[in-house]
Amino acid sequence: MSSLVDIAQLAVQSAMKSGAEWADAVVASGRSVGVIVENTSIRECEVVRDYGIGVRAFCKGGMGATTTTTLSEAAAREVGQQAADMARATHGDPDFRNLPEPQPYQEVPLLWDDAVAGLPAEQVVEWCQRGIEEAREVTPDLALSGDAGLGCGERAIVSSTGVSLYTRSTEVSISFMAVVMKGEDVGAYFEYDVARQMADFKPEGVGKIATDQALKFLGAKHVGKARMPLVLGPMAAASLIGSAIGAANAEGIQRKRSFMIGKEGQQIASPLLTVWEEPFVPGGLASHGVDAEGTPKQRRALLEKGVLPSYLHNSYTANKAGVPSTGHAMRGGYSPAVGIGYGNAQMERGDKTEAELIAGIDEGLYVNSGGLQPESATGDISATVDFGFKIEKGQLAYPVKTTMIGSDVFEMLNNITAVSSDYREEPGTIVPSVLIDGIMVIGGA
C-alpha cells in the first residue's frame, strides 16, 4: 500500500488537474482502545481502527471539501476530483487568498511511544479494574464511573503549495468520577491522568484519589450570599483562563461571536497573569512543530502581564485580517475542516503556595474544579460550584452545596491578586492556583 504522504499527494494532484487553484489533503490512520466504567464495573471495551482521506479544494475563493474512509490510490484521486468539482460550483469567497507556503520548522521529540502503541486492550481493562479496586478499598459505598484508553496514529498533510508533512503520535489516559453515599449525604470528585509516553503515565492511584477527595465533600453546607475572595485550584483556573484565551479565536472575532472583540492588544486581565504557549515540549500533549496547515509553531505569549497580544489565526483568518498566521490551525483526524486552537499553556507562577493563599483569607471560597467558562458572546459567568469549600479563618472549613458564582470574565481576570508557586502539571502544561478578590458568591438558603 502507498504511504500516507503518497496518497495525500495523489489527492492534491487530482484536485489540481480537475480545476482547483489551491488544494490540500490530510490522510490519517489510527487505532484506539476505549474502556468504559459505569456503576463501579466495566461496561464495555472497544477497539477501533479508523482511517481516511480529507481534501479541501479552492477555486476563485470557493471551497469544496470531501472525505472517504478508503485508503487507496483510486479513492484519493476520486475525492480530489470531487472536492475540485464542488469548489468550481461554489460561490467565491473574496476573503480567501492562498494556502501557506512550506517553511522550515522545529521537530518535537517523544510524541510517539512504541510502548503505548504495542499495548493490548487487556492492559487498558486491567487499569480500570485496578482503579475500581483502589476505590473500593477506600470505601465500598460508592459509585465509580469513568474510562481509560489509548490511541496511536499517523497523519500526512500535503498541499499544492509544497507543504508535505508526516507525523505520528500516541496518547494514553484514565479518568474516574467517584460518588460516595453516607445515608442521604453525597460527595463526588473527578480525577484523571493523561500522557503520550508510558514513562509519564501514572494510572495507579487515580481511582483512590477520586474517592478520597469525594469523601471530603460529604457534609456540604450552604454559604449564603456575599462578595468574597475565591481561590481557584489548578483545574478551575484552567477552565476560566483557558476559556478566555480560547475566545481570542479569530474566526469567532470575525463572525462577531466573541466577547474578545476589540480586545487585541488590550489589558484584559491582572498584570500578574502571563500565559505562554510552549509547542516544543518533548512528549507534550499538544506539542507540534507545525499547525494543521503547515505553518511553523512558535513559543508565544497568549497573555502577557494581562495583555492579549494578538488573536489566534489560521491562514484564512490571517489573510482576511491582513496579518501573518499565528500557526493555530487545527483539524481532527482526516477531517478537511480547519479550525483554530492552541495548546501546551504554561502559566507563570507567583511566590506563595496555594496553602499560603488560603491561609491569608478570613472568609472566602475555594474551588477545586468546575466549569467556569464564560458565555461566548457576552463573557458573563454564571457557574455552579460543584467542587468547592468554604474558607474560614485561613482553613478549608466545609464543602459547599447549591452555590453559584455570578460575575463576568473580565471582572474575574482583572481581580486576580495572586498566583501560586505550586501547580498541577500534565505533559506540556503548567497551571497554578489563582486568588481572585471580591467575586459574588450566591449560596442556597
Side-chain angles (χ1 to χ4, degrees):
M1 187 176 81
S2 300
S3 73
L4 299 192
V5 172
D6 292 338
I7 292 173
Q9 287 174 336
L10 281 173
V12 169
Q13 290 167 4
S14 176
M16 298 301 288
K17 288 178 181 178
S18 300
E21 296 173 337
W22 310 85
D24 66 8
V26 56
V27 183
S29 175
R31 167 182 171 264
S32 65
V33 177
V35 177
I36 295 176
V37 173
E38 193 173 274
N39 295 324
T40 326
S41 61
I42 294 176
R43 190 186 78 187
E44 67 178 59
C45 175
E46 183 178 47
V47 179
V48 176
R49 181 66 188 267
D50 190 27
Y51 45 83
I53 309 168
V55 181
R56 291 190 303 170
F58 300 87
C59 185
K60 297 180 180 179
M63 184 184 77
T66 56
T67 60
T68 180
T69 55
T70 301
L71 290 188
S72 70
E73 295 181 3
R77 294 188 181 95
E78 182 178 2
V79 292
Q81 178 182 339
Q82 289 174 347
D85 290 345
M86 293 172 64
R88 289 188 288 105
T90 302
H91 290 294
D93 182 347
D95 293 317
F96 175 80
R97 300 287 187 275
N98 52 47
L99 293 176
E101 297 287 335
Q103 301 177 57
Y105 64 92
Q106 181 176 331
E107 296 279 358
V108 184
L110 302 181
L111 303 185
W112 174 273
D113 186 0
D114 288 335
V116 173
L119 286 174
E122 291 80 6
Q123 178 62 72
V124 185
V125 173
E126 183 180 326
W127 292 333
C128 289
Q129 290 173 331
R130 191 181 311 160
I132 293 170
E133 293 166 1
E134 291 171 353
R136 282 178 169 158
E137 287 173 1
V138 175
T139 177
D141 301 319
L142 89 156
L144 193 72
S145 61
D147 56 65
L150 65 87
C152 54
E154 55 181 342
R155 186 165 75 165
I157 298 174
V158 170
S159 80
S160 57
T161 64
V163 169
S164 181
L165 306 170
Y166 172 80
T167 59
R168 61 177 189 164
S169 61
T170 52
E171 186 171 303
V172 60
S173 64
I174 188 168
S175 64
F176 289 116
M177 170 68 82
V179 180
V180 297
M181 294 79 68
K182 298 293 183 183
E184 295 184 358
D185 200 2
V186 179
Y189 198 72
F190 172 83
E191 186 56 62
Y192 71 97
D193 192 50
V194 60
R196 288 195 184 276
Q197 298 280 312
M198 281 305 300
D200 296 328
F201 186 55
K202 301 296 184 289
E204 301 85 2
V206 174
K208 181 181 186 304
I209 292 170
T211 310
D212 282 336
Q213 293 296 319
L215 286 169
K216 295 179 180 179
F217 283 93
L218 293 170
K221 301 178 184 179
H222 298 295
V223 297
K225 178 180 177 180
R227 282 195 174 271
M228 61 180 67
L230 306 181
V231 176
L232 303 185
M235 287 195 285
S239 175
L240 172 66
I241 297 167
S243 295
I245 294 171
N249 179 321
E251 184 175 9
I253 301 296
Q254 292 172 358
R255 294 184 178 184
K256 302 189 183 305
R257 297 176 181 173
S258 172
F259 57 80
M260 285 292 190
I261 292 172
K263 300 299 184 182
E264 186 174 32
Q266 301 298 307
Q267 188 88 34
I268 66 164
S270 164
L272 298 174
L273 190 59
T274 294
V275 184
W276 291 91
E277 182 178 25
E278 300 282 1
F280 307 123
V281 179
L285 293 174
S287 293
H288 292 288
V290 291
D291 73 1
E293 293 180 307
T295 301
K297 301 288 289 184
Q298 299 178 39
R299 182 179 187 265
R300 177 184 299 275
L302 301 171
L303 285 173
E304 189 166 12
K305 295 183 179 179
V307 174
L308 179 69
S310 69
Y311 294 135
L312 309 180
H313 287 280
N314 58 23
S315 66
Y316 175 85
T317 62
N319 285 332
K320 185 174 181 178
V323 299
S325 173
T326 59
H328 287 103
M330 294 186 72
R331 51 182 152 194
Y334 53 85
S335 171
V338 174
I340 296 173
Y342 72 96
N344 283 1
Q346 298 191 2
M347 289 174 55
E348 289 191 359
R349 282 87 71 194
D351 55 8
K352 290 185 178 180
T353 66
E354 180 189 84
E356 289 172 324
L357 298 183
I358 294 170
I361 297 172
D362 186 58
E363 183 181 19
L365 184 68
Y366 177 80
V367 184
N368 294 62
S369 64
L372 297 180
Q373 296 93 342
E375 199 279 326
S376 60
T378 66
D380 292 339
I381 295 176
S382 181
T384 301
V385 179
D386 296 318
F387 307 105
F389 285 89
K390 182 69 182 302
I391 301 172
E392 293 183 350
K393 300 186 186 307
Q395 300 290 328
L396 299 184
Y398 53 83
V400 301
K401 63 180 178 181
T402 57
T403 300
M404 294 188 67
I405 293 171
S407 184
D408 69 74
V409 65
F410 299 116
E411 178 187 42
M412 294 191 74
L413 292 177
N414 280 287
N415 285 17
I416 292 174
T417 57
V419 178
S420 73
S421 57
D422 48 352
Y423 54 89
R424 179 174 181 127
E425 183 175 13
E426 302 294 344
T429 65
I430 291 176
V431 184
S433 302
V434 297
L435 171 60
I436 306 177
D437 195 31
I439 301 300
M440 180 58 70
V441 174
I442 306 166

